[in-house]
């Protein structure tokens, strides 16, 4: 069975600082990996995804993520955080059978 | 135009009642999903339908019954509501082979 772990429940960074949100997965084959963002009271919005090919993927809002097969990780990064980035971030894995598994989420707080 | 829409946005009801939540997508996708997000923001898949056929049915009480009248609609009917059903329910859709899921805005259900 597949699983997704986001080790950090809550992260606080200062505006303008860099950000890295961790995501580890467990799956027997190459997974489809996603990062979603959920603003308060809103639905989930896709930030970026990895299917195959280049292991460094670019997403919207200046986010990027790197797939590292050897570490079973798909960490999300942003070089300079804006106050509007404060939200809940979810890492997700899809199998080729269409089953989705989400991590428990990381809450990002941005200090002025 | 809204890609994935849900109605109602908010639902407050008494224990023991029966209620339905509706979902519609205008993206032409074949696959639709229902997720439950609890108070700790954990997101769990409940059901997945592909072209009106049930393909994923996680461990969900029988009180929850999804219905897909056509591939653009996936409704969720809940019988004999319990306090623990209070959550935000998200509908999503995707196209097989593309895997990216598009989420609705959520339905906030409160059972009193």
């Amino acid at each position: 069975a597949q699983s997704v772990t986001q080790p950090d429940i809550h992260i606080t960074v200062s505006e303008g600082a860099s950000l890295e949100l961790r995501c580890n997965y467990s799956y027997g084959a190459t997974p489809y990996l996603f990062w979603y963002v959920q603003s308060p009271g809103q639905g989930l919005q896709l930030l970026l995804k990895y299917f195959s090919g280049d292991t460094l993927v670019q997403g919207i809002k200046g986010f990027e993520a790197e797939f590292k097969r050897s570490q079973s990780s798909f960490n999300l990064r942003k070089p300079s955080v804006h106050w509007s980035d404060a939200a809940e971030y979810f890492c997700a894995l899809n199998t080729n059978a269409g089953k989705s598994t989400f991590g428990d989420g990381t809450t990002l707080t941005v200090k002025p | 135009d809204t890609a994935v829409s849900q109605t109602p946005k908010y639902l407050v009801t008494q224990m023991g009642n029966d209620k339905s939540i509706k979902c519609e997508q205008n993206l032409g996708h074949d696959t639709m999903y229902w997720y439950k997000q609890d108070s700790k923001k954990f997101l769990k898949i409940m059901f997945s339908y592909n072209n009106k056929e049930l393909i994923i049915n996680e461990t969900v009480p029988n009180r929850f019954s999804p219905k897909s009248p056509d591939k653009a609609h996936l409704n969720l009917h809940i019988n004999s509501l319990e306090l623990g059903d209070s959550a935000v329910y998200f509908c999503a859709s995707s196209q097989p082979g593309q895997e990216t899921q598009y989420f609705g805005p959520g339905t906030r259900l409160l059972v009193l």
Side-chain angles (χ1 to χ4, degrees), chain A residues 32 34 36 38 41-44 46 49 51 88 90 94-95 97-100 102-104, chain B residues 33 35 37 40-45 55-56 58 90 97-101 103-105 108:
Chain A
Y32 301 120
F34 305 82
Y36 290 89
Q38 183 181 26
Q42 302 296 315
L44 279 74
L46 179 71
K49 59 189 177 186
F51 286 0
E88 190 81 14
F90 291 94
N94 275 26
T95 68
K99 182 167 181 179
S100 297
F102 281 74
D104 289 340
Chain B
Y33 310 81
Y35 288 86
Q37 186 176 43
K40 295 183 179 179
K41 298 191 176 178
F42 298 153
L43 197 63
K44 301 296 180 197
I45 190 168
I55 57 171
I56 291 176
E58 293 298 303
F90 286 101
Q98 295 183 10
E99 306 305 329
T100 301
Q101 295 183 34
F103 283 79
R108 285 142 189 85

